[in-house]
Amino acid sequence: MPASGQSRFGRRRIARSLAVAGTGIAVVALPLFGATSATAATTTSTTASATAYPDNLDGWIRESLDVMAQHGIPGSYESIHRNIMRESSGNPAAINLWDSNAAKGTPSKGLLQVIDPTFQAYHVPGTAFDPFDPVANITAACNYAADRYGSIDNVFGAY
């Protein structure tokens, strides 16, 4: 863990939270700089709908499910959790350096053990372009599973 006491994923979450908080602060400041109350009201309702997710496995799955819903990608919490526990035991930094993919130079990475070419092909806009980012990894893997198997709900073994 870095000297700051936060994981690299925690810093990313804090940055996302600060961006939302910063938006909220700007909303409060807008009327002071000549914004109309209609503008401030519109911005406030948009900010109020933002969801805060905990920086843990539960939060990553829930955030991924919200992104998946926006993109029409099927999947359930239970199936995602089941597959994560089998693939990485919930470790977003997991990397497989011994299987056939690793032998070919493309090790499986992250919570759902996605190889780089699959991550790149099934990356979902609105998530980080980093296979170790928990939300991006889950969402790309579920997008792949939906294309290949109909849903992550249909995956019960290595895929």
Side-chain angles (χ1 to χ4, degrees), residues 36-57:
T36 66
S37 59
T39 304
T42 302
T43 307
T44 302
S45 64
T46 302
T47 303
S49 66
T51 303
Y53 300 95
D55 189 23
N56 58 29
L57 184 58

Side-chain angles (χ1 to χ4, degrees), residues 13 53-62 77 90 111 134-135 138:
R13 292 281 176 223
Y53 300 95
D55 189 23
N56 58 29
L57 184 58
D58 177 68
W60 301 329
I61 293 171
R62 293 186 187 285
Y77 184 100
L111 290 170
V135 174
I138 294 168

Side-chain angles (χ1 to χ4, degrees), residues 6-20 51-61 63-64 111 133-136 138:
Q6 295 179 340
S7 71
R8 69 183 218 173
F9 305 113
R11 283 194 300 265
R12 215 176 282 143
R13 292 281 176 223
I14 288 171
R16 290 179 189 165
S17 298
L18 290 175
V20 171
T51 303
Y53 300 95
D55 189 23
N56 58 29
L57 184 58
D58 177 68
W60 301 329
I61 293 171
E63 186 174 351
S64 294
L111 290 170
D133 178 86
V135 174
I138 294 168

